[in-house]
Amino acid sequence: MSIDVATIGVGLTAAGAALGAGIGNGLVISSMISGMARQPELEGKLRSNMFIGVGLVEAVPIIAIAIAFMLLGR
């Protein structure tokens, strides 16, 4: 059984994307919680900004996975 180099590349890309998304989401949510602890009256604004940040953080790994699978199909 032979494993293709492209398959290993897709696996590494998926692992890197998952790791990066996890770290990014952790930083965004951590910052939101510490900001909410300092100024509880800004909870609504902080929460909406957090959702925008999480969406942007999640977009990059999804694009990376899509490109990796497109290159695998070549």
Side-chain angles (χ1 to χ4, degrees):
M1 181 167 99
S2 174
I3 297 178
D4 190 20
V5 175
T7 307
I8 294 172
V10 169
L12 290 174
T13 302
L19 183 66
I23 292 171
N25 283 335
L27 290 173
V28 168
I29 294 170
S30 162
S31 297
M32 192 274 299
I33 290 173
S34 70
M36 218 169 59
R38 279 189 232 123
Q39 293 182 324
E41 66 274 3
L42 293 178
E43 178 184 357
K45 188 171 183 176
L46 288 172
R47 182 176 291 134
S48 63
N49 286 338
M50 180 202 66
F51 284 130
I52 292 170
V54 167
L56 292 172
V57 166
E58 286 294 327
V60 175
I62 290 171
I63 293 169
I65 295 293
I67 290 173
F69 280 123
M70 287 170 46
L71 291 175
L72 182 64
R74 287 183 128 191

